Amino acid sequence: MSRAFVKEQDDAPEDLPERPVSPHPNFVTARGLRLIDDEIEALRRAQAQAQHGGDKAALARTARDLRYWMQRRTSAQPVNPPHKAEAVAFATRVTIQREDGRKLAYAITGEDEADPAKGTIAYVSPMARALLGKRVGEFAEAPGGEVEILKLEPVGPEG
């Protein structure tokens, strides 16, 4: 077997599976839409660098990721926060208190911008589903036990 043939196979792009797309409506906040646009722009730059450098594996990855984010951009349904948050809904920040006294705040957002460690949860997450529709002073059976809704406010443009 020729060494050139082996090298050619080593340089072949990875056979990457497509990124799974959620079956749920792609609701986004204004911040979420900006994050999608930023991701697309970063991927376009990375793809240009990979093309310039002849990096076939990076080209395959960026092309796959660009397809995902372009689909998410096309399907994005921007949702404005409510003027006054009267019940937990998409684009609201809810402060809860757990049975052990801990207080936590979550912004209910789209799937792609959700980051529980940073206080954002997807509207389809178990926690968000338990809280949706609840008002200040009401209780919800959430993952980890019962919680009380302490405060509601619309999500600002920064998330």
Side-chain angles (χ1 to χ4, degrees):
M1 178 182 300
S2 111
R3 183 73 190 137
F5 180 71
V6 172
K7 174 79 171 127
E8 202 172 297
Q9 283 192 348
D10 288 344
D11 287 344
E14 301 174 42
D15 186 22
L16 298 173
E18 290 300 312
R19 291 182 63 172
V21 175
S22 171
H24 302 289
N26 187 15
F27 297 136
V28 296
T29 64
R31 176 181 173 273
L33 199 56
R34 283 193 313 276
L35 290 173
I36 291 172
D37 289 341
D38 291 349
E39 189 66 31
I40 290 169
E41 184 58 35
L43 284 165
R44 285 182 174 152
R45 284 193 305 273
Q47 191 172 46
Q49 288 175 341
Q51 192 167 16
H52 181 72
D55 187 341
K56 292 179 183 177
L59 272 172
R61 278 191 311 278
T62 57
R64 186 242 355 234
D65 290 348
L66 260 173
R67 284 189 301 274
Y68 172 83
W69 287 108
M70 292 300 292
Q71 189 282 332
R72 296 301 280 171
R73 181 62 172 96
T74 301
S75 66
Q77 298 177 43
V79 176
N80 292 321
H83 293 295
K84 183 177 180 188
E86 295 181 7
V88 179
F90 188 89
T92 60
R93 182 175 319 283
V94 56
T95 302
I96 61 170
Q97 183 169 353
R98 292 198 168 274
E99 293 172 306
D100 64 6
R102 286 182 298 145
K103 293 179 182 175
L104 304 166
Y106 296 109
I108 312 293
T109 66
E111 294 176 275
D112 292 318
E113 75 180 292
D115 185 349
K118 293 182 179 178
T120 56
I121 58 174
Y123 77 100
V124 297
S125 69
M127 177 62 86
R129 287 194 322 256
L131 300 174
L132 288 171
K134 302 292 185 195
R135 297 175 177 273
V136 171
E138 292 185 338
F139 292 84
E141 191 57 45
E146 188 175 70
V147 299
E148 180 182 2
I149 310 302
L150 298 179
K151 181 179 176 184
L152 294 172
E153 58 189 332
V155 171
E158 296 81 39

